[in-house]
Amino acid sequence: MTAQEQYVEFGIEREQYAIRIQDIHEIIKMQDITHIPGVMPYVKGVINLRGKIVPVLSLRDLFGMEEQPYTKQTRIVVVNHAVDTVGIIVDRVSKVTTFNDIQAPQGRFGGLDGRLFTGIGLTSGGLVGILQLEEVLLQD
Amino acid sequence: MLSEYKEVFLEELDEQLQLMDEVIMQLERDCESREVIQSLFRAAHTLKGSSAAMGFEEMKRLTHRMEHLLDLVRSKEKTVTPPLIDLLFRALDSLKLMKEDIVTQDCITVDVSACLQALERFGSEEAGGGVPVTAPSAEQDAGRTAYGTSAAAAAAASGFKWPELSLSIRLHMKNAIGQGLRLYWVSVRLSPDCFIQGARAYVIQTMLAEWGEVLLAAPDYESIGESGMETPELTYLYAGTQESSELAAMTANLADVAGADAEPVSPEEAEMDYRAHGDEEASPEPEREPVLVLVPPAAETAAAAESLIRQPASPPTAQQPAAAVKSKAQTIRVSVERLDDLMNLVGELVIDQTRIQQVARTQRRRFQDDSVGELGHIADHLSRIIGDLQESVMKARMLPIEQLMGRFPRMIRDLSRDLGKELELVMEGQDTELDRTLIEEIADPLIHLIRNAVDHGLELPEVRERAGKSRQGILRIKAAHEDNQVVIYVEDDGAGIDPAKMRSSAVGKGIISQEEADALGDREAIDLIFRPGFSTAQRVSDVSGRGVGMDIVASHIEKLNGMIDIRSELGRGTSFKIKLPLTLAIIVGLLVKCNGQTLIVPMSNIAEIVRVPAEEIRSVRGQPVVLIRNQVIPVADIRDRFGVSGTNDGRKHIPLVIIGSAEKRLALTVDELIGNQEIVIKSLGAYIGKVEGIAGATILGDGSVALILEVSSLFGKAAVR
């Protein structure tokens, strides 16, 4: 992994996370979500993404945080996951960025399992957890 | 590369085996028909050729024996007798086993020596007419080969070089010369290790036709595949713009071609012969091509046919199949995947079209403007076109059910013989079309029903006589379209199902308690047949299985969004009715609202929709039920299923959607009925996977996603209560 790779940085609560830009399909505003009974609680339902049915997850729920009402800043980060497309609800999307310094994740990061991250990006604004999508999406 | 040919071979094998099946059955009924024997002979011959080409030695030997035997029948040295029919069926079954082997393991492991011997014995014994037919196959083969080569040698000796030209071809030649094209005799030698020469010849001919025009091909590729050729040489009469050396080089570069020549044809050659022919057969005025007008089409084809006969390399038996293939040439094989892709795209269009319709409606409500009206018109037109498109694509995926039903006569014949029953099979509506996936899926359940009907439904001839019926039972298999669904009936005029026996049997097997049994009406008692572990057969025969029958049939049909219904009258017979959707990808769904969420119930699962006064929903032993036309139907609230609370808060009338899955019925209470609409089933995707109670989702006209209920799983839930 080169340090100059581009990332999309986003946040929930006061924490900042990032995903490699090539893993991201697109970023869309909040949509009407159709709830599906009997699935994992973090799966909020499905949306219609231009004719494709895409499941959406809540990053808050995935990371064990309280759900908050959606705001104008709420976004769905649509990522490619294996053959599927999955949307991740985040509180806000900040910017496209690069990290000059990426450190290997320690055992835990902000109360979360270090395995969820490929690394921790150091910026002037603080620490940014770079998500290991495979792990995040496969949580039970 | 091999697998490609294998596929072609297997397709042909399939076709021929099916054909043989039908033809042997015909032969059994009509022993004298020469045409029937001829077509059977041809099928065996075709298979002999292609299996030899593919290197399936066993199959070649078996088909060779069959062919030999049929040849004797054809030449009246043998007559068609029941043992002969049985033997032919036996050989056919061996061929089917071989086919299985080829499909699964690419080589033949099944031992057919017994069958081979039987064929040989039958062929040699009591050969009438004083001709000793004891000659083993090797000699036969040798004889054939000798004939083939000597014919070729004779042709060569007589100075024959190019095929004879028919009148119509000469006219084509003249036309080509008139267009400034050059004419060539292109001769192509195939390399000796070329597999399926017919296929290769086809490719070569297609390439030539791309570069220019092929006026004549000898032998025609359609006649080759069956036996291969002794000397794999192909000759074409070609018209094009290339130089002869250029053409020869291009042709020689094709795969499997060992060498190629292109020899110019002099224009005089066409002219001179044409004149000669013209004198004989056509107009006395050959100069200005009036022949086209004067010669009736029949004469022209006769001339063409004559030229075919004169082609030296074309085996005489090949003419008829070649003609048959030609008439079929209007069809092409398309892989199912492509059709599936096409269907998906159409599905997208259907969704967009409903959205456009909706936008047009809202616009019309909001604005009074010409352009809005126009939008409406365009939307209407678009939906008509998309409707037609959808229908066309659906039709492309449809096959007549004959594909499946064609298998039944043989199966039923064997069954009835094994069981000592006499029956007449009546099949109707073989041309009813349905989606090919459905045809595959419905095969097993149907076969099960038929076996059951023959085994348990129809009585033995003596029993029938005693009951005052004809000895011969009637088994009727009927397919038809009924309001956008396919219905298939399997009916027998046998003993029927005795509700009393069903009750006692179910109690005896511990499926239901005595009280439950007493509470059952006759119809419900008969429906017990669909319960798992139920079988009224006194003995377990290997015909209708081990008591796993009917419940498997029912669950299979449920999976296809279908319904099965049973009617039975004691002493009169039993009738099964299967209802299936036309296709699996696009369905008609009923949109209902529950707690603000729109849900879709597949229309094919809906038995009826009613609105009942709230007080008509009563409670029996804690289970809400409703009585509709003397049938007690349990009531379920979808909201329970979806884990949302809600009551029928004092509404006077409650809409009920009565759903059926297989033989079961359930009434669903909903908040609101919205209407029905064509919907495209989409999966929720691999990430979410299978969700209990949800068959999938679709996108509605307003762009929102609605879930499709999986009706069969609702029953499980209701039964628990």
Side-chain angles (χ1 to χ4, degrees):
Chain A
M1 174 162 51
T2 68
Q4 288 312 309
E5 223 168 344
Q6 286 195 308
Y7 296 86
V8 170
E9 193 183 316
F10 52 86
I12 49 171
E13 205 88 336
R14 266 180 311 255
E15 292 160 14
Q16 290 297 106
Y17 298 97
I19 294 175
R20 283 197 309 168
I21 205 161
Q22 64 259 47
D23 289 334
I24 293 180
H25 191 261
E26 61 184 302
I27 296 166
I28 53 173
K29 291 192 175 165
M30 203 54 205
Q31 310 233 330
D32 279 343
I33 295 180
T34 302
H35 172 70
I36 300 174
V39 290
M40 293 294 173
Y42 59 80
V43 178
K44 292 292 137 189
V46 287
I47 57 166
N48 164 21
L49 186 67
R50 292 187 301 277
K52 202 170 171 206
I53 290 180
V54 173
V56 284
L57 327 175
S58 157
L59 195 62
R60 280 180 168 272
D61 210 309
L62 274 169
F63 286 174
M65 282 180 218
E66 195 95 338
E67 286 290 345
Q68 293 288 324
Y70 303 129
T71 68
K72 269 192 174 158
Q73 269 72 51
T74 306
R75 292 289 181 277
I76 301 174
V77 180
V78 182
V79 298
N80 299 316
H81 165 70
V83 290
D84 249 341
T85 309
V86 179
I88 300 172
I89 304 172
V90 300
D91 287 359
R92 61 188 176 273
V93 171
S94 321
K95 60 186 170 189
V96 176
T97 185
T98 56
F99 299 110
N100 288 319
D101 190 358
I102 296 177
Q103 299 194 347
Q106 302 304 309
R108 300 193 76 74
F109 174 73
L112 292 163
D113 193 330
R115 272 181 306 155
L116 295 173
F117 303 95
T118 58
I120 310 299
L122 303 179
T123 67
S124 53
L127 301 180
V128 177
I130 302 167
L131 296 184
Q132 168 77 42
L133 273 183
E134 297 300 309
E135 286 292 328
V136 173
L137 295 178
L138 285 179
Q139 261 195 11
D140 299 300
Chain B
M1 180 176 110
L2 237 170
S3 70
E4 202 177 302
Y5 292 123
K6 189 178 151 192
E7 216 169 279
V8 176
F9 170 68
L10 283 175
E11 267 176 33
E12 183 183 69
L13 186 55
D14 246 357
E15 253 167 50
Q16 297 295 337
L17 290 182
Q18 173 89 38
L19 181 78
M20 280 186 172
D21 228 344
E22 285 163 23
V23 173
I24 301 177
M25 299 272 293
Q26 264 177 39
L27 192 62
E28 191 174 29
R29 280 194 300 275
D30 178 8
C31 301
E32 294 302 314
S33 167
R34 279 192 63 78
E35 282 144 58
V36 173
I37 297 167
Q38 183 61 31
S39 56
L40 191 55
F41 178 84
R42 225 181 290 128
H45 181 79
T46 304
L47 282 187
K48 185 176 93 166
S50 53
S51 56
M54 290 298 289
F56 294 120
E57 188 57 30
E58 302 278 293
M59 188 175 274
K60 191 201 104 184
R61 273 167 53 199
L62 189 67
T63 42
H64 174 76
R65 289 283 165 181
M66 284 176 85
E67 187 194 25
H68 176 59
L69 191 58
L70 288 163
D71 196 28
L72 294 179
V73 176
R74 200 168 54 160
S75 58
K76 302 259 185 224
E77 284 169 43
K78 284 217 172 289
T79 47
V80 178
T81 52
L84 178 78
I85 297 279
D86 283 341
L87 186 61
L88 287 175
F89 270 134
R90 191 169 150 200
L92 178 58
D93 290 341
S94 301
L95 286 176
K96 285 181 183 164
L97 288 175
M98 287 182 183
K99 189 194 99 189
E100 288 307 305
D101 275 357
I102 295 171
V103 171
T104 52
Q105 50 200 6
D106 237 339
C107 64
I108 294 173
T109 54
V110 55
D111 182 24
V112 293
S113 53
C115 186
L116 269 173
Q117 272 173 14
L119 279 168
E120 193 173 358
R121 229 178 300 124
F122 205 93
S124 56
E125 84 198 4
E126 49 164 291
V131 187
V133 205
T134 44
S137 69
E139 253 173 63
Q140 280 275 327
D141 264 343
R144 258 165 230 275
T145 321
Y147 169 76
T149 42
S150 66
S158 70
F160 178 88
K161 192 162 180 206
W162 308 120
E164 289 271 334
L165 297 173
S166 74
L167 194 59
S168 63
I169 287 175
R170 277 166 211 281
L171 279 173
H172 278 299
M173 286 168 76
K174 258 185 78 97
N175 266 338
I177 295 166
Q179 286 166 23
L181 298 175
R182 302 169 197 219
L183 290 171
Y184 294 104
W185 283 112
V186 181
S187 50
V188 179
R189 281 178 307 284
L190 290 179
S191 72
D193 47 8
C194 164
F195 265 113
I196 303 198
Q197 294 164 344
R200 187 46 63 197
Y202 170 75
V203 172
I204 293 170
Q205 192 171 331
T206 317
M207 287 312 293
L208 282 171
E210 234 167 72
W211 301 333
E213 196 181 344
V214 177
L215 302 179
L216 175 72
D220 197 67
Y221 66 89
E222 283 164 345
S223 62
I224 298 171
E226 307 177 340
S227 52
M229 291 182 292
E230 251 86 65
T231 46
E233 195 164 318
L234 307 161
T235 308
Y236 300 97
L237 180 56
Y238 170 87
T241 54
Q242 295 88 349
E243 298 282 340
S244 80
S245 57
E246 191 187 351
L247 182 63
M250 280 158 78
T251 316
N253 270 338
L254 295 172
D256 274 342
V257 171
D261 284 316
E263 190 178 306
V265 181
S266 62
E268 297 80 42
E269 195 174 328
E271 197 64 31
M272 181 182 65
D273 280 315
Y274 167 73
R275 220 172 285 237
H277 257 268
D279 287 346
E280 271 174 16
E281 298 176 26
S283 119
E285 262 191 296
E287 306 297 332
R288 283 169 50 237
E289 307 181 350
V291 193
L292 271 179
V293 192
L294 292 179
V295 177
E300 204 179 327
T301 46
E306 196 188 355
S307 82
L308 253 175
I309 294 167
R310 283 194 212 147
Q311 287 169 24
S314 139
T317 47
Q319 279 158 35
Q320 263 176 309
V325 172
K326 251 180 205 145
S327 68
K328 265 201 283 180
Q330 296 300 324
T331 64
I332 51 164
R333 288 185 202 274
V334 181
S335 83
V336 184
E337 272 161 53
R338 282 198 194 173
L339 288 178
D340 284 345
D341 288 347
L342 204 54
M343 195 66 176
N344 284 338
L345 290 175
V346 171
E348 302 284 323
L349 274 181
V350 171
I351 288 168
D352 284 343
Q353 169 243 322
T354 39
R355 296 194 59 179
I356 289 178
Q357 286 279 357
Q358 188 136 347
V359 171
R361 262 202 302 277
T362 23
Q363 296 280 317
R364 211 171 324 166
R365 236 178 285 136
R366 240 180 260 169
F367 308 106
Q368 286 291 336
D369 191 334
D370 281 353
S371 67
V372 174
E374 209 175 324
L375 175 65
H377 289 312
I378 296 174
D380 286 344
H381 187 234
L382 197 61
S383 57
R384 253 203 317 280
I385 292 181
I386 291 176
D388 287 352
L389 178 65
Q390 186 192 330
E391 209 181 305
S392 310
V393 175
M394 241 165 76
K395 278 212 183 111
R397 291 178 49 95
M398 305 258 246
L399 288 175
I401 198 170
E402 191 177 3
Q403 291 259 329
L404 176 60
M405 280 163 96
R407 275 153 54 183
F408 295 157
R410 168 74 200 282
M411 190 188 90
I412 290 165
R413 168 196 179 271
D414 289 357
L415 258 178
S416 55
R417 275 178 60 133
D418 287 352
L419 295 165
K421 311 250 167 126
E422 287 176 23
L423 67 88
E424 183 191 344
L425 173 67
V426 182
M427 295 205 292
E428 289 168 34
Q430 281 108 310
D431 53 351
T432 308
E433 292 194 324
L434 67 166
D435 196 285
R436 56 157 285 143
T437 346
L438 273 172
I439 290 194
E440 279 160 24
E441 294 287 332
I442 200 65
D444 280 350
L446 262 188
I447 287 172
H448 223 106
L449 287 181
I450 291 169
R451 288 174 167 230
N452 259 314
V454 178
D455 193 8
H456 305 315
L458 292 170
E459 316 92 322
L460 289 166
E462 304 80 56
V463 180
R464 288 182 65 91
E465 258 177 354
R466 254 180 278 141
K469 299 196 220 176
S470 64
R471 281 176 68 88
Q472 219 177 31
I474 293 174
L475 179 65
R476 192 185 299 273
I477 304 169
K478 200 164 71 182
H481 284 287
E482 265 175 34
D483 24 274
N484 239 347
Q485 291 192 323
V486 179
V487 271
I488 306 171
Y489 294 90
V490 177
E491 297 172 335
D492 64 66
D493 70 340
I497 298 172
D498 185 350
K501 246 196 207 160
M502 297 296 287
R503 284 194 198 95
S504 65
S505 174
V507 173
K509 291 195 171 80
I511 293 170
I512 51 170
S513 68
Q514 187 62 50
E515 299 96 76
E516 279 176 302
D518 293 340
L520 287 179
D522 280 359
R523 274 206 63 184
E524 287 119 310
I526 290 173
D527 283 347
L528 283 171
I529 197 169
F530 294 111
R531 293 286 184 94
F534 194 96
S535 167
T536 49
Q538 304 300 316
R539 68 208 151 76
V540 173
S541 65
D542 64 334
V543 175
S544 39
R546 294 133 299 273
V548 288
M550 288 314 240
D551 59 313
I552 300 243
V553 169
S555 69
H556 216 109
I557 291 168
E558 272 172 33
K559 258 203 308 204
L560 302 173
N561 278 328
M563 284 205 232
I564 184 167
D565 224 350
I566 179 171
R567 290 278 146 87
S568 186
E569 210 174 320
L570 198 56
R572 285 283 189 76
T574 308
S575 162
F576 287 94
K577 177 182 178 186
I578 300 174
K579 251 197 200 178
L580 293 171
L582 275 184
T583 167
L584 294 173
I586 295 183
I587 62 166
V588 180
L590 177 74
L591 275 64
V592 299
K593 221 167 205 149
C594 265
N595 265 28
Q597 191 169 357
T598 308
L599 293 168
I600 293 167
V601 188
M603 213 57 176
S604 56
N605 291 123
I606 297 178
E608 67 185 300
I609 301 165
V610 291
R611 214 179 275 269
V612 297
E615 61 271 18
E616 277 195 15
I617 298 179
R618 282 167 228 162
S619 180
V620 174
R621 271 173 271 153
Q623 162 75 57
V625 295
V626 64
L627 190 68
I628 290 167
R629 267 184 260 109
N630 290 328
Q631 206 181 347
V632 179
I633 298 173
V635 176
D637 196 327
I638 303 188
R639 285 171 296 202
D640 289 353
R641 181 68 194 76
F642 280 74
V644 274
S645 58
T647 49
N648 296 327
D649 37 25
R651 280 183 301 160
K652 284 219 178 72
H653 283 83
I654 296 172
L656 286 179
V657 179
I658 299 175
I659 54 173
S661 182
E663 83 295 350
K664 293 164 280 191
R665 297 286 178 273
L666 182 66
L668 295 177
T669 61
V670 298
D671 289 347
E672 198 186 325
L673 299 166
I674 301 175
N676 49 3
Q677 186 182 314
E678 234 163 43
I679 55 157
V680 182
I681 302 181
K682 288 174 174 268
S683 88
L684 291 174
Y687 186 76
I688 291 186
K690 177 82 195 81
V691 180
E692 181 71 13
I694 309 288
T698 193
I699 294 166
L700 296 178
D702 62 359
S704 66
V705 180
L707 300 178
I708 302 166
L709 285 183
E710 186 184 51
V711 164
S712 52
S713 75
L714 291 172
F715 286 96
K717 187 86 174 180
V720 172
R721 284 147 62 105

